[in-house]
Structure formats: structure tokens, C-alpha cells
Amino acid sequence: MVYFIGAGPGDPELITLKAYKILQKCDVVIYAGSLVNKEILNFTKKDAKIFDSSKLTLEEIIDIYKKYKEKDIARLHTGDPSIYGAINEQIYFLEEMNIPYEIIPGVSSAFAAAAKIKSELTAPDISQTVIFTRYGKNIPTPENIKELAKHKSTLIIFLSVNYLSEIVETLKTEYPIDTPVKVVYKATWKDEKIIHGTLENITEKAKEIKNTALIFVGEVFKKKDTFSKLYDKNFSHKFRKVKP
Ligand code: SAH
């Protein structure tokens, strides 16, 4: 059995209890050495065979699945495996080989970073939509960030801090210039950095940040008094009964 496990954003305590229990029984562990905190490997069995996927090709990873198909294998992905996790191709081959698998969700860096900037990502009258995206420079990205920006929704941009200035120039054409922008580097790691700015000044403020960061953009990050009606004493009970 192969377990795709969301290893969370960095802090080993942000792994789920389910993932923790599975890790304790797996004979083989493949972890994404570039982003998964090695302290999580302390949760594995003493004699588990450990592989760092950042040094392996897809074929080599598939060979490990094949070789140990009778065993329990943990495949640790950073954050949640469903976001830029590259699990599709692994699932494809596991299904071809009739090897069973399960996906154990994890805390995405998006949510860990939102917690660190102490923000709700949605707010009434401002944005009820969050867009997870990346800047398509060298990678095919069907959606164009300028088109996405037209919605003025909350944006969370992965894998793209290298292109911050280009992104900001594009967003300026759609969002007001004083729209808050936050760059969160290595959320929940010991060397975490959080840079607060606006479309006007974030490029300069965050110029040192070159990787492992998220870019948050949106009016929701302004201090605001547009509270949710959910707990409002005047809010009709009729609406409260509606199941979320
Ligand atoms: N599946 C992961 C994302 C993998 S793509 C998740 O759910 O978080 C890798 C990108 O995720 C990085 O380039 C960066 O944009 C972001 N990332 C991962 N860990 C991060 C962290 N601790 N802090 C900030 N950004 C992080």
C-alpha cells in the first residue's frame, strides 16, 4: 500500500495524527527532501528505508513502488499533496501496476501562512473567493494572471516569488495600488519571514526573497469592519438554519 501523505508546511507538529500513525508503521519512506522538514523522519520506524525524492527521477520512484509493493510505503509531500504535488503521474503508474494507494491530506502552506499573517482569506462585501495559482513563466499555465486579477478576489500565488516584480506590474492594472500584498517565506519554519506591503512597495520590500514563499494579495488583508453576519444578533434565524 502506498500512502501519499501531506507532511504540512514545515513545523513537524502540523502533520495529522493519521499521518503520524501511518508513518510509524511504514517500511519504506520517500520524502521530498527539498521542502519536507527532516524532523518528520523521526516519526518513522527505526529500520525504515528512507529515500529523498529530490534526488530521484519519476522512473526511479516508480521502481521503488514496484520493488516494495508488498510493503507499506509512505510518500511524504510538502503541504497538502493536492496542490502542485505532482501525484497524478505517480497515481497513473500505481493504477497500471495494481498497487493500492491512499491519500492523507496535510496542512497546505497556504493555510499555515494565512495563520501566520493572522488573516481570514474571505470577507463579506470584499471577496468570497480565493484563487490558488502560480505565475506561468516557464511552465504551461492555462489561466492568465491578468484575467484572474479582474475578479479582485483574494490571490495566493505559489512557486512564483522570483517573478514578484512582473506579477505586481500585472496586478497593478486591475487591483487598486494600495491593495495589501504579503510575502510569506518558509511559514512555520525557524527561519520564517513575513513581509507586509502593498502593490506599490512590495517588490522593493521583498526583493531578498528568492524561493519557498507564497504571495498573498487582496483587500481582505486591510483592517476592516465588514463583519460576517453569521453570529450577528440581528441576522435572521432562517439563514442560520441553512446548512453550510
Ligand atoms: N503542496 C504544497 C505546495 C507545493 S509547491 C502545499 O500545499 O503547500 C511548492 C511551493 O509551495 C513553494 O514554491 C512555495 O510557494 C510554497 N510553499 C511550500 N511550503 C511553504 C512554506 N512553508 N512557506 C511558504 N511557502 C511554502
Side-chain angles (χ1 to χ4, degrees), residues 57-110:
T57 62
L58 176 64
E59 286 71 22
E60 288 168 328
I61 294 171
I62 303 302
D63 283 345
I64 296 173
Y65 293 150
K66 227 186 274 177
K67 181 167 177 193
Y68 297 104
K69 68 172 181 230
E70 305 302 333
K71 309 256 184 202
D72 282 327
I73 305 176
R75 172 71 168 100
L76 285 165
H77 283 268
T78 176
D80 183 87
S82 69
I83 308 286
Y84 306 114
I87 57 171
N88 266 345
E89 48 268 52
Q90 301 177 65
I91 288 173
Y92 177 89
F93 286 107
L94 289 174
E95 288 183 354
E96 292 282 294
M97 299 185 294
N98 281 319
I99 299 177
Y101 63 90
E102 201 178 318
I103 303 176
I104 314 297
V107 176
S108 173
S109 58

Side-chain angles (χ1 to χ4, degrees), residues 91-160:
I91 288 173
Y92 177 89
F93 286 107
L94 289 174
E95 288 183 354
E96 292 282 294
M97 299 185 294
N98 281 319
I99 299 177
Y101 63 90
E102 201 178 318
I103 303 176
I104 314 297
V107 176
S108 173
S109 58
F111 300 117
K116 289 301 188 160
I117 56 181
K118 300 193 164 95
S119 278
E120 186 171 346
L121 299 171
T122 52
D125 304 329
I126 299 177
S127 176
Q128 296 284 33
T129 305
V130 183
I131 298 177
F132 287 19
T133 190
R134 68 184 297 175
Y135 190 58
K137 189 76 181 176
N138 301 315
I139 208 102
T141 306
E143 305 86 354
N144 175 326
I145 203 157
K146 186 169 165 63
E147 293 302 313
L148 297 177
K150 288 192 195 310
H151 297 287
K152 299 193 179 60
S153 311
T154 306
L155 282 184
I156 305 183
I157 310 170
F158 287 74
L159 290 155
S160 307

